[in-house]
Amino acid sequence: CDSAPCKRRLSLGSHRVEMSLANYVKWTEQISLESKGRVSWELDEDFALLSVTSDPAGVRVTLDGESIQTPLNAHRISASAHVLQVEDACYHLVTKEFIAERGGRPRHTLRASAREAAVEVHAKDDAGNDLEGVVSLDGRRLGATFEQLKLGLCSGTLSVKSEGYGAWSIDLEAHGLVE
């Protein structure tokens, strides 16, 4: 049969019965039919159903070297060894090796930590005097001017606000300052 459930008639007597279906473990048994009846078996899955999430959401994740979209839910994989990785230029490499068992339902969450960069922002007025200011990243206060500040390698918009002088901002990625 090419699909399940499957029905076939057998005559009385001894038979070697084999049941197989793609992605399932083949079943073979010698049976003896002495009266009318049914023979019924359930085939075992020869695959696993993988679910993967990433933290933070949206990082680039690969399964056995192939890019996948997370969250991934009940994705059919072979019952064998596999490798999940966070392979994103903005995050440190994370590798999770696992063995998927037949009929298994492996669930994995890959937790990525951002690669960091440092920046020191200087602000000056038209006369060249240093200005104190508040430095923000994507609207969140990061620190002050003339301090060394840590930020994610793939950050967004850096802003500086100095009282009495206004605010300035730059999109770090658009200007090629981050990957």
Side-chain angles (χ1 to χ4, degrees):
C1 295
D2 293 331
S3 62
C6 175
K7 294 182 181 181
R8 292 285 189 260
R9 287 196 182 276
L10 296 174
S11 58
L12 296 179
S14 181
H15 299 275
R16 181 177 175 270
V17 177
E18 182 177 285
M19 291 181 143
S20 63
L21 185 62
N23 298 310
Y24 288 82
V25 179
K26 181 169 48 174
W27 182 281
T28 304
E29 189 170 316
Q30 188 72 32
I31 61 169
S32 181
L33 296 175
E34 296 177 8
S35 63
K36 189 176 179 180
R38 288 181 180 248
V39 175
S40 177
W41 292 305
E42 281 195 29
L43 299 179
D44 293 327
E45 297 170 343
D46 196 20
F47 57 88
L49 296 175
L50 175 66
S51 295
V52 180
T53 56
S54 63
D55 180 19
V59 299
R60 183 174 182 274
V61 175
T62 62
L63 171 63
D64 301 328
E66 298 292 322
S67 192
I68 61 171
Q69 185 71 36
T70 58
L72 183 69
N73 294 307
H75 177 73
R76 187 180 284 196
I77 59 172
S78 63
S80 61
H82 295 277
V83 178
L84 281 167
Q85 288 188 308
V86 169
E87 289 186 6
D88 191 308
C90 299
Y91 296 89
H92 291 285
L93 178 69
V94 175
T95 301
K96 171 71 177 169
E97 296 180 6
F98 68 100
I99 297 176
E101 303 288 335
R102 286 180 173 161
R105 304 293 185 264
R107 294 182 168 276
H108 298 284
T109 297
L110 296 178
R111 300 192 195 290
S113 59
R115 291 182 182 196
E116 289 187 332
V119 64
E120 187 171 298
V121 177
H122 294 213
K124 297 186 179 285
D125 65 13
D126 291 338
N129 298 311
D130 292 341
L131 296 176
E132 291 184 12
V134 174
V135 179
S136 299
L137 181 64
D138 296 329
R140 241 182 43 246
R141 187 180 195 286
L142 191 59
T145 53
F146 302 97
E147 293 178 353
Q148 187 172 36
L149 307 169
K150 288 184 182 179
L151 58 128
L153 181 63
C154 296
S155 297
T157 301
L158 188 71
S159 305
V160 180
K161 185 175 184 180
S162 182
E163 190 147 336
Y165 291 92
W168 306 268
S169 64
I170 185 170
D171 182 335
L172 299 174
E173 188 174 8
H175 285 82
L177 301 173
V178 296
E179 292 182 4

